[in-house]
Every structure is written in C-alpha cells, then in structure tokens.
C-alpha cells in the first residue's frame, strides 16, 4: 500500500511543478493543496522506512554509506555534473556553483539532501534504540534533539539557509514522525484500523479548513504559518493514505505501485523537463489557454521523463551517479 501512496505523492509533485511553469497563477488553490501534502508525505514515508534495528557500529557505518550513495551522490551529481558542467550553469565555475548550493540547496534536488542528513540522524537513533540499554528511549530522543539543536546553532551562526538547515529542521518533524510511527506501530495499528474512516473524516475537515482559507505556499515563515503547514501536512497525508488503502485494488490494476517504486528517478529527472512549455505561460490555470498549456506541458514532461529515465537506468554508470542505484545480478 505504501508504494501506491508514494505513487500518488510523486504524481502530485509532477503536477505541481508543471503548474509552476505552465500557468501564471501556478494553479491557484490546486497548488496550495498539493504543496501542503507532497513533501511532508515523502518525508513521512522516508522516515518510516528509515526505522530499523542497527545492532553495532559496523552496521551503522554501512547504513550511513548507503545513505551517501542513495541520496548525497545523486544530489551532488545532478547539480555539478548536469546543471553546472553539462548545461553550463554558473559559466561552469565549480567553485561558484559550490558556494551557491551551500546556501541555496533548493536550487538543486534539495529533497535528497534533506533526506540524507535526516537519515544519518535516524540511523544514529536506530543504533541507540537497538541497544536496549537503560532509558534507551530517553537517550534516543535526547540524541535526536541534540543533533538537531547543533544544526540550529550552526544556522544561527552561519545562516539558516546554510546546507539547507531551514529545510532539515522543518521537515524533521515529518521525518521523525514517520520514524516514530514505525517504531510504535504495534501499539496503535489496531486502533487506527478500527477507526480509520472517522480519522480520515476529521483529517479532511482540518485540512480543508486550512488549505481553502490560508495561502500555505506563499505565507511568511512565522510560528503561525509553520504550525498551520504542519497541521495541513499531517492531516492531508492522513487523507491520502486513507485513499491509497481504500482504493488499493483499483490502484494496483493501473500499476500505480510500480510508479511508487521509481519516485527518486521521476523526481530528479522531471525537474529538467517540466518547463518545456514555459514560453506559453501567459494565462491562469482556470482559463482555456492556460489549461491547454498545462495539459500539453504535462504530457511532454511525462514523455521526456520516461525516455530520459529509461536511458539513464540502462547505463550502469549513470544509473549509479544520478540515481544512486546499481543493477544486481
């Protein structure tokens, strides 16, 4: 079911990015709804899958190296090899590009970088919680807060945008929640299964009340806005999870779970082709010309994403560098 959920999330991501470049109002309320759900959802599911037993330091180091391969390597490869060297960004000046990305991770595949940092924190917490020593739960929480606190202090000293600290701290709420959900699922799962429809109803009421009355995407980063974003992020994803589970058989028939297995490939690749119709970005989404431009842009984005992904995955070297994956015999 989680692969279906991931498939729904990546579809929302592609739609929102196409809206961003194809219509002048970026989709209006539609973008507000999608933006509130998409990345919090991916952080939740990433945190969920990061929760596992790490029995010793050897396994811990192995997990960290794995995170470097799956997240840090693609992040750096897409930025330096594709955006800078291949496409000529920053006049192919690697040092200038490095200085820029250090303070503007959102210029690149920021999601991969944030998940990389959070996965390191999660694996250290996995190691502490797996040891079952006295007060291991307290030690795990303290360790996580100390590591995030150190990032916060670094952000105060150097700048909150340095190495994506702003994004790491905000999305740690969702990532950490996903981690905690898996660690404690034996405790709450029976209750959730019993009252899932009621919980989904409450969630959709909360989400609608916020998403239809507050501009979550363009609002300032104050405490009220952050709180509303968090509530909308959690409630919106509760609804999406309920939909994924409720209509699981229908989604499986259209192979949506297969799309969910390729979210990293789709996320990274579509970012370079989703602006193909930006020249036609002259009207709002709810106009005939704007909607037509969006549909054409969406079709082109999907087509070229499939083509480029197939090519990249067919070459072991590029599959490793850009997707962090190696074919297994």
């Amino acid at each position: 079911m989680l692969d279906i959920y991931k498939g729904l999330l990546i579809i929302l991501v592609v739609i929102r990015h196409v809206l961003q470049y194809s219509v002048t109002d970026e989709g209006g309320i539609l973008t507000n709804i999608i933006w509130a759900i998409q990345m919090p959802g991916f952080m939740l599911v990433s945190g969920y899958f990061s929760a596992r037993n790490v029995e010793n330091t050897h396994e811990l180091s192995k997990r960290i190296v794995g995170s470097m391969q799956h997240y840090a390597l693609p992040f750096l490869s897409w930025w330096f090899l594709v955006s800078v060297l291949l496409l000529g960004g920053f006049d192919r000046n690697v040092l200038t590009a490095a200085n820029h990305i250090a303070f503007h991770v959102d210029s690149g595949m920021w999601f991969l970088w944030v998940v990389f940092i959070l996965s390191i924190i999660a694996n250290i917490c996995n190691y502490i919680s797996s040891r079952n020593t006295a007060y291991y739960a307290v030690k795990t929480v303290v360790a996580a807060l100390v590591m995030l606190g150190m990032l916060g202090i670094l952000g105060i000293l150097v700048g909150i945008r340095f190495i994506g600290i702003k994004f790491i701290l905000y999305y740690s709420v969702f990532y950490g929640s996903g981690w905690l959900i898996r660690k404690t699922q034996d405790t709450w799962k029976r209750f959730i299964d019993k009252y899932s429809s009621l919980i989904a109803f409450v969630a959709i009421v909360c989400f609608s009340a916020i998403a239809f009355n507050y501009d979550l995407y363009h609002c300032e980063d104050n405490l009220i806005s952050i709180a509303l974003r968090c509530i909308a992020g959690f409630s919106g994803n509760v609804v999406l999870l309920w939909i994924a589970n409720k209509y699981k058989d229908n989604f499986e028939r259209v192979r949506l779970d297969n799309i969910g297995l390729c979210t990293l490939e789709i996320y990274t690749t579509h970012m370079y082709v989703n602006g193909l119709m930006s020249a036609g970005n002259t009207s709002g989404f709810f106009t005939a010309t704007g909607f037509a431009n969006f549909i054409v842009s969406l079709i082109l984005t999907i087509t070229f994403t499939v083509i480029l992904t197939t090519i990249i995955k067919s070459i072991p070297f590029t599959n490793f560098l850009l997707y962090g994956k190696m074919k297994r015999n």
Side-chain angles (χ1 to χ4, degrees), residues 143-318:
L145 292 177
V146 167
M147 287 182 281
L148 291 172
M150 291 172 63
L151 283 172
I153 292 172
L154 182 61
I156 293 172
L157 296 174
V158 183
I160 198 66
R161 297 187 66 89
F162 180 62
I163 61 169
I165 292 174
K166 169 185 173 181
F167 300 102
I168 295 167
L169 294 180
Y170 174 67
Y171 285 107
S172 67
V173 175
F174 299 100
Y175 192 98
S177 296
W179 184 92
L180 186 62
I181 285 169
R182 188 171 189 182
K183 285 287 186 178
T184 60
Q185 62 184 357
D186 292 339
T187 304
W188 54 260
K189 193 174 186 302
R190 188 176 300 176
F191 173 83
I192 297 295
D193 291 341
K194 184 177 180 179
Y195 298 103
S196 61
S197 296
L198 176 61
I199 294 170
F201 173 76
V202 174
I204 198 168
V205 170
C206 291
F207 179 77
S208 300
I210 296 173
F212 285 95
N213 293 283
Y214 197 81
D215 190 346
L216 297 164
Y217 182 49
H218 296 102
C219 64
E220 296 182 3
D221 293 330
N222 53 47
L223 289 177
I224 294 176
S225 297
I226 292 172
L228 289 174
R229 285 171 175 172
C230 286
I231 295 171
F234 282 116
S235 58
N237 277 285
V238 167
V239 175
L240 193 65
L241 275 166
W242 181 82
I243 292 172
N245 186 57
K246 180 74 173 179
Y247 302 101
K248 179 173 64 175
D249 293 339
N250 294 333
F251 289 133
E252 285 178 346
R253 291 193 192 99
V254 296
R255 304 294 184 185
L256 188 60
D257 50 331
N258 289 342
I259 295 176
L261 294 172
C262 301
T263 52
L264 186 148
E265 291 90 335
I266 297 170
Y267 167 71
T268 53
T269 309
H270 92 281
M271 295 292 286
Y272 286 85
V273 294
N274 60 11
L276 294 175
M277 294 296 291
S278 58
N281 184 0
T282 58
S283 304
F285 178 72
F286 296 100
T287 64
T289 53
F291 184 74
N293 195 58
F294 162 73
I295 293 298
V296 172
S297 182
L298 182 62
I299 292 172
L300 289 175
T301 298
I302 294 171
T303 302
F304 282 102
T305 297
V306 170
I307 293 171
L308 289 173
T309 300
T310 302
I311 294 172
I312 292 170
K313 287 181 70 67
S314 69
I315 306 170
F317 184 64
T318 54

Side-chain angles (χ1 to χ4, degrees), residues 5-203:
Y5 172 60
K6 288 164 58 184
L8 290 171
L9 284 171
I10 197 62
I11 289 172
L12 292 178
V13 168
V14 172
I15 290 174
R16 195 192 78 78
H17 285 153
V18 171
L19 284 169
Q20 189 175 357
Y21 289 100
S22 62
V23 290
T24 54
D25 59 0
E26 300 183 3
I29 187 63
L30 186 58
T31 277
N32 202 42
I33 292 171
I34 294 174
W35 187 87
I37 296 173
Q38 58 175 30
M39 285 309 170
F42 271 119
M43 290 298 173
L44 277 166
V45 76
S46 296
Y48 180 86
F49 284 121
S50 73
R52 59 190 70 201
N53 290 327
V54 177
E55 302 292 345
N56 50 60
T57 54
H58 174 73
E59 189 173 354
L60 174 61
S61 61
K62 184 178 178 181
R63 295 289 180 192
I64 292 174
V65 170
S67 292
M68 292 174 65
Q69 175 189 324
H70 297 305
Y71 304 119
L73 179 63
F75 170 78
L76 295 172
S77 296
W78 281 102
W79 178 250
F80 288 106
L81 298 182
V82 179
S83 295
V84 178
L85 297 179
L86 180 62
L87 299 180
F90 298 92
D91 294 325
R92 295 188 170 86
N93 188 316
V94 175
L95 292 179
T96 302
N99 181 68
H100 178 84
I101 200 65
F103 287 90
H104 302 87
V105 295
D106 51 330
S107 293
M109 307 295 176
W110 67 269
F111 170 78
L112 297 179
W113 177 257
V114 172
V115 172
F116 167 61
I117 299 298
L118 291 175
S119 68
I120 293 176
I121 295 174
N123 276 307
I124 293 173
C125 291
N126 286 334
Y127 173 68
I128 296 171
S129 64
S130 298
R131 293 172 66 82
N132 289 322
T133 57
Y135 306 108
Y136 71 91
V138 175
K139 292 177 181 177
T140 302
V141 172
V142 170
L145 292 177
V146 167
M147 287 182 281
L148 291 172
M150 291 172 63
L151 283 172
I153 292 172
L154 182 61
I156 293 172
L157 296 174
V158 183
I160 198 66
R161 297 187 66 89
F162 180 62
I163 61 169
I165 292 174
K166 169 185 173 181
F167 300 102
I168 295 167
L169 294 180
Y170 174 67
Y171 285 107
S172 67
V173 175
F174 299 100
Y175 192 98
S177 296
W179 184 92
L180 186 62
I181 285 169
R182 188 171 189 182
K183 285 287 186 178
T184 60
Q185 62 184 357
D186 292 339
T187 304
W188 54 260
K189 193 174 186 302
R190 188 176 300 176
F191 173 83
I192 297 295
D193 291 341
K194 184 177 180 179
Y195 298 103
S196 61
S197 296
L198 176 61
I199 294 170
F201 173 76
V202 174

